[in-house]
Amino acid sequence: MTHDAQQLAEESLTRRVLASFAGTPDDRLREVMQSLVTHLHAFIRDVRLTEAEWQAGIDFLTGCGHITDDRRQEFILLSDVLGASMQTITVANPVDGRITESTVFGPFFVEDSPRIPLGGDIAGGAPGQPCWVQGRVTDVAGNPVPGARVEVWEADEDGFYDVQYGDERVAGRAHLFTDDDGRYRFWGLTPTPYPIPHDGPVGRMLAAVNRSPVRAAHLHFMVTAPGLRTLVTHIFVEGDPQLAAGDSVFGVKDSLISAFDVQPAGTPTPDGRDLGGRDWARAEFDIVLAPADA
Ligand code: BEZ
Ligand code: FE
C-alpha cells in the first residue's frame, strides 16, 4: 500500500466513526463524543500504536476496574496523575486574581465529618505536630461570610488518612462554621508529604515512567456558603521540599502556599491550650469565594 493510500484509509475510518455520532440528539454529547474520537484517533495514528500496546492499555484499564471499590477509586487516581483532574478544574474555574484558587478534591473526603466549635481540634488522636490554623472567609467585595461551612481534612504525620487504616476511626477531619465576622480557627496537624495509593496499576505506571507518587504536604478545605460558589482547595506548606520536587497530581498553585510558622515549645498558644511542652505551628489562610453564578 502506498503512503497516500494508507493515510486515506486511516482518515476515512476516522470520518466514518465521526459520522456515526452525527445523529446524537443532545448537542453537547455529540460535541464531546466527536471531539473524543478525533483526539483518540489522532493519538493512535501519531504514536503508530501497535496491537500489543493497545492490548496493554486494555489490560491496564481492566486492572483499574478490578481494584476499584467503595474505598478505592483507581480511575480518579489515573485522572489525577495524568493532570486531567487539575485541567478540568482549571477550565471550570477561570483565572480571577480576586478569588481563592481551587485544586484537586482527592479521594479521602468523607461526608458527615464531626462538627467542632471555633478553635476546636480536628486531629481526633491522629499523630502529628499541632498546628493552629485561622483565617477569614469573604466575598469578592470583601464582605465577611458568616456561617460558611468549612470542611477540613488531612493525613496524619505517617502519611495516612483515617479511612486508610481500615478500622472505624475518624481522625484528621472535621467541619466548623465561620463567626459573624467570617472568621474561622481550629487546631489541626502540620501537614507532611505522603504518597497517593501506589500499590495498584496507577502506581505501577508511575514506577514505569520513573515518577514519584508523593504529594506535596497539604491540608484540604471545602468551603460552602449560600449564594457563593463552593470552593475545594488546599493549603500547601511553604518550604516543603516536595513543592520543588513536584506534586504527583499537579495540585500546587503558588497562591495556595502558606507559611506554617513553627513555634518553639513553651510559646503561648492563641487559645491558652497547654501542649505539654511540645512545639507547634501556626498558619493563616484567608479565603475569597466567588458568586455562585460566576
Ligand atoms: C489527596 O490529596 O488526598 C489525593 C489527591 C489525589 C489523589 C490521591 C490523594
Ligand atoms: Fe490529601
Side-chain angles (χ1 to χ4, degrees), residues 77 80 104-108 161 194 196-197 215 218 220 234 249:
L77 280 187
D80 293 342
V104 65
F105 193 46
F108 297 123
Y161 287 81
Y194 69 87
I196 63 169
R215 290 219 59 201
H218 60 273
H220 292 259
H234 313 337
V249 302

Side-chain angles (χ1 to χ4, degrees), residues 191-204:
T192 52
Y194 69 87
I196 63 169
H198 57 108
D199 56 344
V202 169
R204 289 193 286 280

Side-chain angles (χ1 to χ4, degrees), residues 73-130:
Q73 230 303 354
E74 198 74 358
F75 291 102
I76 294 184
L77 280 187
L78 177 60
S79 165
D80 293 342
V81 301
L82 292 178
S85 306
M86 276 309 293
Q87 193 65 282
T88 306
I89 290 164
T90 304
V91 168
N93 297 274
V95 175
D96 177 328
R98 298 167 306 168
I99 297 165
T100 301
E101 292 193 280
S102 306
T103 188
V104 65
F105 193 46
F108 297 123
F109 172 74
V110 174
E111 299 283 354
D112 301 324
S113 67
R115 178 175 177 175
I116 56 166
L118 284 162
D121 191 350
I122 76 164
Q129 180 184 60

Side-chain angles (χ1 to χ4, degrees), residues 244-290:
D247 179 44
S248 56
V249 302
F250 309 98
V252 179
K253 291 179 172 172
D254 287 349
S255 67
L256 302 177
I257 300 173
S258 294
F260 280 70
D261 294 320
V262 177
Q263 313 292 311
T267 310
T269 54
D271 60 350
R273 180 180 177 189
D274 179 0
L275 290 170
R278 305 176 62 192
D279 51 19
W280 55 284
R282 60 182 308 154
E284 183 109 23
F285 183 49
D286 290 335
I287 292 168
V288 182
L289 299 179

Side-chain angles (χ1 to χ4, degrees), residues 27-293:
D27 289 346
R28 176 63 178 164
L29 180 60
R30 184 173 60 253
E31 180 188 5
V32 169
M33 293 310 298
Q34 291 189 327
S35 179
L36 174 65
V37 168
T38 302
H39 289 278
L40 183 60
H41 282 228
F43 157 71
I44 293 167
R45 296 177 63 202
D46 183 32
V47 301
R48 309 311 297 167
L49 196 73
T50 68
E51 288 168 289
E53 288 164 345
W54 177 88
Q55 185 62 52
I58 296 294
D59 292 345
F60 174 81
L61 292 174
T62 304
C64 289
H66 283 160
I67 202 171
T68 294
D69 61 20
D70 288 352
R71 299 176 82 96
R72 174 74 178 257
Q73 230 303 354
E74 198 74 358
F75 291 102
I76 294 184
L77 280 187
L78 177 60
S79 165
D80 293 342
V81 301
L82 292 178
S85 306
M86 276 309 293
Q87 193 65 282
T88 306
I89 290 164
T90 304
V91 168
N93 297 274
V95 175
D96 177 328
R98 298 167 306 168
I99 297 165
T100 301
E101 292 193 280
S102 306
T103 188
V104 65
F105 193 46
F108 297 123
F109 172 74
V110 174
E111 299 283 354
D112 301 324
S113 67
R115 178 175 177 175
I116 56 166
L118 284 162
D121 191 350
I122 76 164
Q129 180 184 60
C131 179
W132 176 260
V133 184
Q134 65 178 31
R136 189 164 182 239
V137 181
T138 59
D139 63 18
V140 285
N143 301 307
V145 182
R149 181 182 174 115
V150 180
E151 289 272 358
V152 282
W153 65 105
E154 63 177 327
D156 63 23
E157 71 177 356
D158 296 321
F160 294 107
Y161 287 81
D162 51 1
V163 289
Q164 293 180 283
Y165 283 99
D167 52 24
E168 297 302 307
R169 79 183 70 181
V170 177
R173 68 178 72 246
H175 69 275
L176 63 161
F177 292 90
T178 53
D179 68 14
D180 288 348
D181 197 28
R183 294 185 193 278
Y184 70 86
R185 50 197 167 270
F186 62 89
W187 282 102
L189 302 171
T190 306
T192 52
Y194 69 87
I196 63 169
H198 57 108
D199 56 344
V202 169
R204 289 193 286 280
M205 188 271 279
L206 289 177
V209 299
N210 200 22
R211 272 180 54 186
S212 163
V214 177
R215 290 219 59 201
H218 60 273
L219 168 62
H220 292 259
F221 277 76
M222 180 163 68
V223 185
T224 45
L228 296 166
R229 195 197 302 161
T230 294
L231 172 72
V232 174
T233 196
H234 313 337
I235 43 176
F236 294 92
V237 180
E238 195 176 83
D240 172 13
Q242 200 61 37
L243 289 173
D247 179 44
S248 56
V249 302
F250 309 98
V252 179
K253 291 179 172 172
D254 287 349
S255 67
L256 302 177
I257 300 173
S258 294
F260 280 70
D261 294 320
V262 177
Q263 313 292 311
T267 310
T269 54
D271 60 350
R273 180 180 177 189
D274 179 0
L275 290 170
R278 305 176 62 192
D279 51 19
W280 55 284
R282 60 182 308 154
E284 183 109 23
F285 183 49
D286 290 335
I287 292 168
V288 182
L289 299 179
D293 51 11

